[in-house]
Amino acid sequence: MITGGYESECCQVYTITRRRAFDECLDRMGFEKTSIDEVQKMQWEALENVIPAWIKTFKDCANIYFSKERDLAKAVFSDCPSISSCLFSNLVRGVMIQLLNFTEGIAMVKRSTEKLFKFLDMYETLRDSITAMDGLLPEECEIELKTELNMAKTTIGEATISIFCELENSIKSDTGKTPVPGGAVHPLTRYTMNYSKYACEYMATLEQVFKLHSKIERADSSSRSNFEGETTQGYNHNPPPENRSPFSVQMMAVMDLLE
């Protein structure tokens, strides 16, 4: 078709066919196309079931399906590498927009402490997928895509810090601080210790998130007042003592409130 002068028609048919096939693949993995507004309107209980499907879909696309799709495009357009590269890049871009729209919607939902670990799972998925996609696309497209992925990762990271700081805020605002009869452990203390224990299973990721945030704070001090007011209430912005990470400082602040 291309040699016969039907390059545009050929590319259009291929694009439509492969996108339909990819959408069917996403459906089989349990991830349905969802707009940012639709994500924000969903109850958290429903989102808790969708997020694992998003994680699996994102990982499978980054590690398996995109590379297979690239090989298919190369085989079909073996005599036209520039067309193959363009069609493949456009397909990846379209799929990633769909997946990142979900990320953006999640970052906008109302934040509360019980949501922390799902956000951390999403952060790890984005972080690992950036590395997995090295060399997958032409350089210019790869730079553009990785920029979008890093922006999404940063947004989820900022939301993660805000959620973690909700724990500190909830302790400060707790009104049931009267001693428990019989000297038993206060429910708030028990909850906080269990929460902290679970958070420590994500220690490496939380350390990374808090360190990245502190770098952003230093690099963007001109907008700090606005950033603090909107995204990280309760976060300790003071530089951490030597040899202590920003996350460990925040953990100590939480523990101090229980005394």
Side-chain angles (χ1 to χ4, degrees):
M1 289 182 68
I2 294 177
T3 56
Y6 294 96
E7 177 180 326
S8 177
E9 290 81 357
C10 180
C11 291
Q12 184 177 16
V13 170
Y14 181 86
T15 297
I16 293 173
T17 302
R18 293 314 304 158
R19 185 54 201 261
R20 284 177 178 172
F22 222 99
D23 286 343
E24 291 175 0
C25 182
L26 297 182
D27 288 340
R28 288 196 298 272
M29 287 188 282
F31 181 76
E32 298 180 1
K33 186 175 182 179
T34 310
S35 69
I36 296 174
D37 289 339
E38 288 172 334
V39 172
Q40 290 182 270
K41 292 176 182 178
M42 293 175 67
Q43 296 295 319
W44 179 248
E45 290 75 13
L47 289 173
E48 280 188 301
N49 295 324
V50 178
I51 289 174
W54 177 90
I55 290 173
K56 175 176 172 50
T57 301
F58 210 107
K59 288 181 177 179
D60 286 351
C61 285
N63 292 283
I64 302 172
Y65 293 115
F66 284 159
S67 61
K68 289 185 176 181
E69 195 66 33
R70 178 188 57 186
D71 294 341
L72 176 62
K74 285 182 176 180
V76 173
F77 298 95
S78 57
D79 295 330
C80 306
S82 61
I83 294 177
S84 167
S85 178
C86 180
L87 292 174
F88 170 65
S89 298
N90 288 338
L91 175 66
V92 171
R93 187 180 293 108
V95 173
M96 291 305 299
I97 287 174
Q98 181 177 337
L99 293 171
L100 292 179
N101 279 346
F102 181 79
T103 306
E104 185 175 347
I106 287 291
M108 294 179 180
V109 301
K110 184 178 179 181
R111 295 163 189 177
S112 55
T113 54
E114 73 274 8
K115 300 175 183 178
L116 174 69
F117 306 108
K118 290 297 184 183
F119 273 72
L120 285 168
D121 289 338
M122 293 184 69
Y123 181 91
E124 291 177 344
T125 299
L126 289 165
R127 178 197 63 197
D128 297 343
S129 295
I130 292 173
T131 303
M133 295 177 67
D134 282 343
L136 185 67
L137 296 164
E139 183 177 0
E140 183 177 346
C141 295
E142 183 171 303
I143 292 173
E144 178 184 343
L145 179 59
K146 285 192 173 183
T147 297
E148 293 180 7
L149 287 170
N150 275 306
M151 288 176 61
K153 179 169 70 73
T154 299
T155 300
I156 291 294
E158 291 172 355
T160 297
I161 291 175
S162 178
I163 291 172
F164 189 85
C165 292
E166 282 296 320
L167 177 63
E168 182 178 347
N169 294 334
S170 65
I171 295 173
K172 289 179 179 179
S173 62
D174 181 72
T175 57
K177 295 180 180 178
T178 55
V180 177
V185 178
H186 194 283
L188 178 62
T189 301
R190 184 182 297 109
Y191 171 81
T192 303
M193 295 305 295
N194 288 335
Y195 190 88
S196 300
K197 179 181 178 181
Y198 195 17
C200 286
E201 295 182 12
Y202 291 85
M203 176 70 75
T205 301
L206 282 165
E207 291 278 12
Q208 184 181 47
V209 170
F210 273 80
K211 284 180 180 178
L212 176 62
H213 176 75
S214 66
K215 291 179 182 178
I216 293 174
E217 283 287 295
R218 290 194 296 270
D220 194 24
S221 59
S222 62
S223 61
R224 172 173 297 184
S225 59
N226 181 58
F227 183 77
E228 289 177 349
E230 293 182 359
T231 61
T232 56
Q233 291 183 351
Y235 176 57
N236 185 353
H237 293 283
N238 296 323
E242 188 175 358
N243 298 326
R244 289 179 63 185
S245 69
F247 174 63
S248 65
V249 171
Q250 195 68 23
M251 280 292 293
M252 290 303 300
V254 170
M255 295 298 104
D256 288 344
L257 290 173
L258 296 176
E259 294 181 355

